[in-house]
Amino acid sequence: MLPPSFSMSRIVNVSLVWCLALLLSTKCIQASTVHKPVAVGSRHRYGRWKRRGVSQRLNLPGWRRGENEVGMVDNGRRGKIMESLALAMSFRQPAKQQHLLVMGIGGVALVCIGKMIQSEAVQRALYFWVHAGPIVAHYKFAKWWLTKTKAPLQKRDRVYQRLHNQYAGKSFDIALKLKGLYVKIAQIVSSRPDFVPPQYVALFVTAQDSLPQLPIEQVVEIVDRMLRADYNLSFDDVFESMDAVALGSASIGQCHRAILKEPYTTLNGYRGGKTAAVKVMHPGAEERFRCDFQVFRWLCKVALTGWQPILDECYRQIMSEFDYRKEAASLERVRTIMSKSPFRGKVKVPEPHQLLCTKELLVMEMLNGKKLSDSMEDDLAVALGRNKELAEDVINQKRLEMILGEDKMATLGISGQDDTWKILGAIPKLRLLRLYLRVQAVIDLLADVQGYQIFHATVFNGDPHPGNILKLKDGSLGLIDYGQTKSITEEEKLGVSRVVQAIGNHAPTRVIANTMRDLGFRTKKDNDDVLAKYAALFFDSDTEGKRMGCPTPQSYFKKLTEMDPLVDVPDVAST
């Protein structure tokens, strides 16, 4: 495993150096085999070749300036280095010694390259580019070809649908194979059907908490090791049992239901009860994420131009998740704040057992419930006469509307929700209306809670995807997973308020652009018009994008980055 400071760029540089050494060794072998060593400047029939000097014979730059007594270029520091190399490999030496020396240098180069390739960081990067590179290239080529041939909308859609069908499964397999950041990205995009094609969303949604799990024996060993290191306790000292099947497994760790022993059920005032949720970090997860981010930075340069500032913000957020002690502290802070808020009977945050938490182990109160997204899908199936298949079709149609827009769907001849509504009877329609009102109330509650945490509390969830919200048995909502928490300063709150106020008052473009600059946004060309459009996209809506022919926020953002790419995105913009 490479140290954190050993970035991918250094790996590439070192690899190139050793490849150059190996190439140099090969050339020396060829030269010493074809030509016998003779004194420099002799009148041998190969004298002209010899007088050219080592530098010229090996096709190295700078030989034209004139040679010193050993046929080497006197060219500053580079000349000194090459002179030493020429002396070490002097052609006056016997051929056998030359071969041994050259083979030794080549062997050292091969050993170093071999050790580097054996490192997990390099293997993961190579696996990604070997398997994902052709996918990226195919999409890029399809885009170029469709643009060049001015293909009509229907043809573009057919081509992209084939690509999505062809590569969604392969992309998900790559994420599952590599885990780490690749799975985290899959989690993030799975909650954005307005940005990502449905073929990808349908697969990536399982990355939220249904990934392959570590065996229970390994999990128990990790828990035992953490407890011994931090508290001089064993697994058997603290827990009566732990379920073999995890409640969920994600990119960084997995969570198991466990039963606490006395006195740990009430130790230090803990009121979470005997049943606990135990979150265990996957071994080596933090280092894998660091290396994976280097690969994604290269991917941004190759295929996702303009996304570098957003990737940098993701790095700052995600890398804050690798200390469960911080998450335990955040849970306690949020739980205390929400218990005194107007929403205390409507939402619940689990209590952490802080005296049993370590950097890679989190013990907390068990909340019994179902993922909110699953609960809503079940309610939709009931409203449609317990027709699960029809419920899935309705959800997929809604996703398509979010991605393509109603106008584009009509152009492509794809049926929307209106067509489904027409075939329903009166009773299913009434059920759907009631469900709509309930869902709208839940969405309003979540928005109010998030807003309360942002503007009234000192901390809030920076990653509120559907997998982090539970529908509890008593009807309230459970807010879990505070690994990514954020807070904004009073100055940032005022900055955001000024941007929103300027947009709401339809202020001049220059005024909106200046409020964005004051907040910390920077673009490459510093264009007022584009900055004002970014303001609407980040803090209002993509209505302007639709007027410009962009059916989705993703396509609108891409168009803006082509006009004037973002250079700096403030942390507050990701809230």
Side-chain angles (χ1 to χ4, degrees), residues 420-534:
T420 304
W421 180 261
K422 291 175 183 177
I423 66 173
L424 293 175
I427 294 178
K429 287 181 179 178
L430 287 173
R431 290 173 182 160
L432 283 176
L433 287 174
R434 291 175 58 191
L435 176 61
Y436 170 79
L437 294 175
R438 291 205 307 270
V439 170
Q440 192 61 51
V442 169
I443 293 172
D444 290 344
L445 173 61
L446 290 173
D448 290 342
V449 168
Q450 189 74 358
Y452 183 87
Q453 291 181 11
I454 291 172
F455 290 103
H456 293 278
T458 56
V459 64
F460 59 93
N461 196 331
D463 185 26
H465 66 73
N468 291 344
I469 305 168
L470 300 178
K471 178 70 175 295
L472 303 182
K473 292 182 178 180
D474 62 0
S476 62
L477 299 180
L479 308 180
I480 60 174
D481 194 351
Y482 276 77
Q484 282 189 46
T485 54
K486 301 191 69 177
S487 60
I488 60 176
T489 63
E490 291 298 322
E491 183 180 352
E492 289 172 330
K493 292 176 185 178
L494 289 173
V496 172
S497 300
R498 292 189 187 102
V499 175
V500 173
Q501 184 180 34
I503 295 171
N505 292 338
H506 304 287
T509 298
R510 179 70 177 175
V511 173
I512 298 175
N514 283 335
T515 60
M516 289 287 280
R517 292 187 183 98
D518 293 341
L519 190 58
F521 280 90
R522 297 289 182 272
T523 63
K524 188 174 182 180
K525 300 177 183 177
D526 198 29
N527 184 289
D528 284 352
D529 187 56
V530 177
L531 259 176
K533 287 180 169 60
Y534 276 125

Side-chain angles (χ1 to χ4, degrees), residues 347-366:
V347 297
K348 189 172 184 180
V349 179
E351 179 182 356
H353 202 319
Q354 297 202 58
L355 291 184
L356 295 178
C357 294
T358 72
K359 186 177 185 297
E360 300 176 10
L361 176 66
L362 174 61
V363 181
M364 58 185 166
E365 176 186 2
M366 179 75 186

Side-chain angles (χ1 to χ4, degrees), residues 287-300:
E287 181 56 31
R288 279 194 294 271
F289 268 75
R290 291 188 193 280
C291 297
D292 293 345
F293 265 109
Q294 298 292 343
V295 177
F296 268 86
R297 286 191 173 93
W298 278 99
L299 182 62
C300 282

Side-chain angles (χ1 to χ4, degrees), residues 1-2 8 11 116-133 173-184 251 282-296 322:
M1 181 68 67
L2 298 177
M8 288 303 304
I11 291 173
M116 193 175 298
I117 291 176
Q118 288 175 5
S119 74
E120 184 183 4
V122 178
Q123 288 177 352
R124 290 171 62 80
L126 289 174
Y127 184 93
F128 175 79
W129 285 113
V130 167
H131 292 82
D173 289 341
I174 293 171
L176 288 181
K177 171 71 175 178
L178 294 174
K179 300 184 178 66
L181 180 61
Y182 303 94
V183 165
K184 190 67 176 179
S251 57
H282 292 152
E286 183 174 5
E287 181 56 31
R288 279 194 294 271
F289 268 75
R290 291 188 193 280
C291 297
D292 293 345
F293 265 109
Q294 298 292 343
V295 177
F296 268 86
F322 292 96

Side-chain angles (χ1 to χ4, degrees), residues 499 503 512 516 530-544 556:
V499 175
I503 295 171
I512 298 175
M516 289 287 280
V530 177
L531 259 176
K533 287 180 169 60
Y534 276 125
L537 180 60
F538 274 86
F539 299 105
D540 188 14
S541 71
D542 64 330
T543 304
E544 178 64 22
Y556 184 36

